[in-house]
Amino acid sequence: MFASWVTFALLLGTFCAGPSHGEVDTHMCLYYNINWEMEKTNQSGVEHCEGEKDKRSHCYASWRNNSGTIELVKKGCWLDDFNCYNKQECVATEENPQVFFCCCEGNSCNERFTHLPEVGQGPDIKPSTPSLLNVLVYSLLPVTMLSMALLLAFWMYRHRKPPYGHVDINEDPGLPPPSPLVGLKPLQLLEIKARGRFGCVWKAQMMNDYVAVKVFPIQDKLSWQNERDIFIMPGMKHENLLRYIAAEKRGSNLETEFWLITEFHERGSLTDYLKGNAVSWNDMCHIAETMACGLAYLHEDVPRYKGEGPKPAIAHRDFKSKNVMLKNDLTAVIGDFGLAVRFEPGKPPGDTHGQVGTRRYMAPEVLEGAINFQRDAFLRIDMYAMGLVLWELVSRCKAADGPVDEYMLPFEEEIGQHPSLEDLQEVVVHKKMRPVFKDCWLKHAQGLEALCETIEECWDHDAEARLSAGCVEERISQIRRLNSATTSDCLVSMVTSVTNVDLPPKESSI
């Protein structure tokens, strides 16, 4: 339905430029999205544009003109597009599109937008006396246009993001064959549970089950494709990896969205859980061990097994507590594979460019731009991040003698909640600092000291000295077993001492 220039610019900007995974702030644009019917409090505002250092980012606006009434559709950040270069004002130039589109450069330059068509001089038209037919046409034209506008509004209302729809996993030819357990099941979006780098995550209901729906905007289609492709790889069904259900495309043109549907966990992410809960020794060990098990399986080359292999080694590249979900029994599952890279023998790994992921969890070699673009180097970057997540777990453990502090992110005490890249480079790379271990952790008899030693070997400044995820899993399991054995020996000793106490003889009852 949309005009050809807008469609071409949209496709060119989306599929050629692609989403940027860097965290370099460029500028701000005014943000608006008419499509978020269920998100009443965030229909408009300011969007911080993010892009790569070698590419430009712009602002854009799109709107409709319904019989002189301007209806704003979307505003926000636009990727590198030569049509937007050196434009200080947002001006649409197409003669008579159904949807107007303009882009510009500069902070909040999309606040005002206008339409100035580039049209030439037409032929001279001689004035004529209006006929009865012309009078009728011009009289009925406003009524006709108003009716069409109402019909258009009604059509848009019926085709907005519906609370109930269906999961049609055949819509994209790149998707796998449909599952009989998924096809055409009713799906209802309930509430937004989280916001991330590429979109938001909804809690939704499919039949009698709750599911999670991750919604990607159109400019992040490549991230949706990458995460979907990782999920549908052979061998990706594992109890400590988030379970994939389906993927689908919603809407068209500027209103296109991409949905990724996975299992839903009510406890949410490890970050959310630690904010509201301190953990016991056993719970901490269970979370840590299952998390390490999931990452070890992700990193592993799995040969063909039960007709589902082989699975190549996969580097997560954005491992953090926010991307670890917890089941009801506190078993950890790893999700969010939008930045993941697979290493298949004889094939290039794909996009492995430098500083990606979340700044706070970036390894020293990532922060200083000295990455070795080999498989093991990327796996060791994940292990550095695992060390930080394990520190988060230990900091909320109730087993130590001292008090349990409020939850803090790694390095939050040193450089605050919103550190810059330069702050992290100074602390992590130059000063080689790491989050602090408390004295009571290092004096803990149950095994916190051994766990702290494991953490130190995970975040070692020398990447080659870091432990593997499989080794971390084995160590935590061993620490847990030794602690259980020690506790059992103590109980046996206590029982023995009690039974050996001389007791007075019982009086016989006659």
Side-chain angles (χ1 to χ4, degrees):
M1 291 177 60
F2 298 101
S4 59
W5 187 92
V6 178
T7 305
F8 175 76
L10 174 63
L11 293 175
L12 182 64
T14 301
F15 299 112
C16 294
S20 171
H21 297 316
E23 292 192 90
V24 181
D25 295 333
T26 55
H27 66 279
M28 296 183 297
C29 298
L30 294 188
Y31 173 79
Y32 179 84
N33 189 343
I34 195 175
N35 199 36
W36 293 107
E37 292 289 341
M38 301 185 67
E39 191 181 348
K40 298 296 185 183
T41 60
N42 194 28
Q43 288 186 336
S44 62
V46 176
E47 182 177 14
H48 294 270
C49 303
E50 299 177 353
E52 299 176 15
K53 291 182 179 179
D54 58 343
K55 292 188 178 182
R56 298 191 186 187
S57 56
H58 322 283
C59 301
Y60 81 96
S62 61
W63 70 95
R64 297 186 181 90
N65 188 340
N66 295 328
S67 303
T69 302
I70 302 301
E71 180 187 22
L72 184 58
V73 177
K74 283 189 178 183
K75 281 185 177 183
C77 297
W78 193 251
L79 299 177
D80 197 344
D81 188 338
F82 68 91
N83 294 295
C84 312
Y85 283 5
N86 303 319
K87 290 188 177 181
Q88 304 302 316
E89 297 181 350
C90 204
V91 180
T93 59
E94 196 167 8
E95 182 177 357
N96 188 26
Q98 293 184 355
V99 173
F100 296 86
F101 175 90
C102 66
C103 56
C104 55
E105 290 186 331
N107 282 330
S108 303
C109 65
N110 63 340
E111 180 180 5
R112 299 179 180 276
F113 49 91
T114 186
H115 176 226
L116 295 175
E118 297 177 350
V119 295
Q121 293 292 332
D124 293 336
I125 300 176
K126 296 182 179 180
S128 60
T129 304
S131 65
L132 179 59
L133 179 60
N134 288 339
V135 172
L136 289 174
V137 169
Y138 286 112
S139 299
L140 294 175
L141 185 60
V143 178
T144 305
M145 293 186 67
L146 179 60
S147 301
M148 291 178 64
L150 291 173
L151 287 173
L152 178 62
F154 180 74
W155 182 88
M156 290 180 61
Y157 174 79
R158 291 296 301 271
H159 289 78
R160 75 193 193 287
K161 184 193 300 180
Y164 282 93
H166 67 273
V167 180
D168 182 3
I169 63 173
N170 277 322
E171 188 170 1
D172 192 308
L175 291 170
S179 165
L181 300 177
V182 174
L184 300 181
K185 285 189 176 181
L187 182 66
Q188 179 185 9
L189 299 179
L190 299 177
E191 60 176 319
I192 292 179
K193 301 298 290 186
R195 300 180 189 278
R197 179 181 54 255
F198 299 125
C200 58
V201 178
W202 288 75
K203 177 182 179 181
Q205 188 166 0
M206 182 187 294
M207 301 294 285
N208 296 324
D209 298 321
Y210 290 121
V211 296
V213 179
K214 190 174 181 181
V215 179
F216 295 77
I218 187 171
Q219 60 266 30
D220 291 323
K221 181 183 179 183
L222 292 181
S223 297
W224 170 79
Q225 284 180 327
N226 188 67
E227 187 162 6
R228 180 200 67 182
D229 291 346
I230 294 290
F231 268 124
I232 64 177
M233 288 184 63
M236 280 298 288
K237 295 182 179 66
H238 188 272
E239 63 179 352
N240 300 122
L241 299 181
L242 189 63
R243 185 172 64 87
Y244 168 83
I245 297 175
E248 67 171 339
K249 173 184 172 183
R250 291 274 180 135
S252 59
N253 298 301
L254 287 174
E255 297 178 359
T256 300
E257 291 176 342
F258 298 93
W259 289 14
L260 193 71
I261 305 165
T262 63
E263 65 181 345
F264 175 77
H265 297 293
E266 191 65 49
R267 289 189 183 274
S269 70
L270 178 58
T271 303
D272 299 330
Y273 186 77
L274 293 179
K275 283 180 181 179
N277 302 275
V279 292
S280 67
W281 168 258
N282 286 332
D283 286 345
M284 181 194 69
C285 288
H286 180 65
I287 294 171
E289 187 176 353
T290 53
M291 178 178 68
C293 179
L295 191 60
Y297 182 80
L298 194 69
H299 285 179
E300 186 180 1
D301 287 296
V302 180
R304 189 173 297 277
Y305 177 71
K306 292 184 179 180
E308 246 211 7
K311 182 196 82 67
I314 299 172
H316 192 285
R317 296 211 303 168
D318 193 20
F319 191 80
K320 57 183 177 180
S321 55
K322 197 75 176 175
N323 290 336
V324 177
M325 304 294 116
L326 295 180
K327 297 181 180 180
N328 288 332
D329 64 353
L330 297 185
T331 296
V333 293
I334 300 172
D336 196 342
F337 300 110
L339 292 173
V341 172
R342 49 191 161 179
F343 298 91
E344 301 179 79
K347 294 183 180 180
D351 182 12
T352 56
H353 66 274
Q355 292 172 340
V356 299
T358 303
R359 288 178 187 168
R360 187 181 300 276
Y361 294 86
M362 284 182 180
E365 60 269 28
V366 179
L367 289 169
E368 61 182 340
I371 304 175
N372 175 9
F373 292 93
Q374 301 297 322
R375 187 195 79 160
D376 290 346
F378 283 100
L379 303 187
R380 290 167 186 149
I381 290 170
D382 284 349
M383 293 312 302
Y384 172 88
M386 170 169 269
L388 296 179
V389 176
L390 289 173
W391 177 89
E392 293 176 64
L393 264 172
V394 172
S395 70
R396 294 290 284 159
C397 183
K398 297 182 288 187
D401 295 332
V404 179
D405 293 335
E406 293 295 321
Y407 171 78
M408 296 186 73
L409 290 165
F411 300 111
E412 184 175 343
E413 187 173 2
E414 291 81 4
I415 49 181
Q417 292 188 347
H418 305 287
S420 66
L421 197 62
E422 292 74 18
D423 292 335
L424 284 160
Q425 288 171 338
E426 176 66 20
V427 169
V428 176
V429 179
H430 303 308
K431 294 182 178 179
K432 299 184 179 180
M433 292 174 59
R434 300 294 184 268
V436 178
F437 293 136
K438 287 189 173 183
D439 290 339
C440 61
W441 303 352
L442 302 177
K443 298 175 181 177
H444 182 245
Q446 279 188 297
L448 276 179
E449 180 182 5
L451 188 54
C452 289
E453 291 176 2
T454 299
I455 293 172
E456 285 185 317
E457 292 185 65
C458 285
W459 65 31
D460 197 293
H461 203 82
D462 180 5
E464 295 185 359
R466 293 173 197 154
L467 299 175
S468 67
C471 184
V472 172
E473 179 191 1
E474 186 176 336
R475 282 201 184 185
I476 296 172
S477 177
Q478 186 177 12
I479 292 170
R480 196 176 187 179
R481 287 196 304 270
L482 290 174
N483 177 64
S484 299
T486 304
T487 304
S488 299
D489 291 343
C490 290
L491 290 174
V492 172
S493 177
M494 289 175 60
V495 171
T496 304
S497 63
V498 169
T499 56
N500 289 335
V501 173
D502 292 333
L503 297 175
K506 291 185 178 181
E507 296 182 1
S508 59
S509 57
I510 301 175

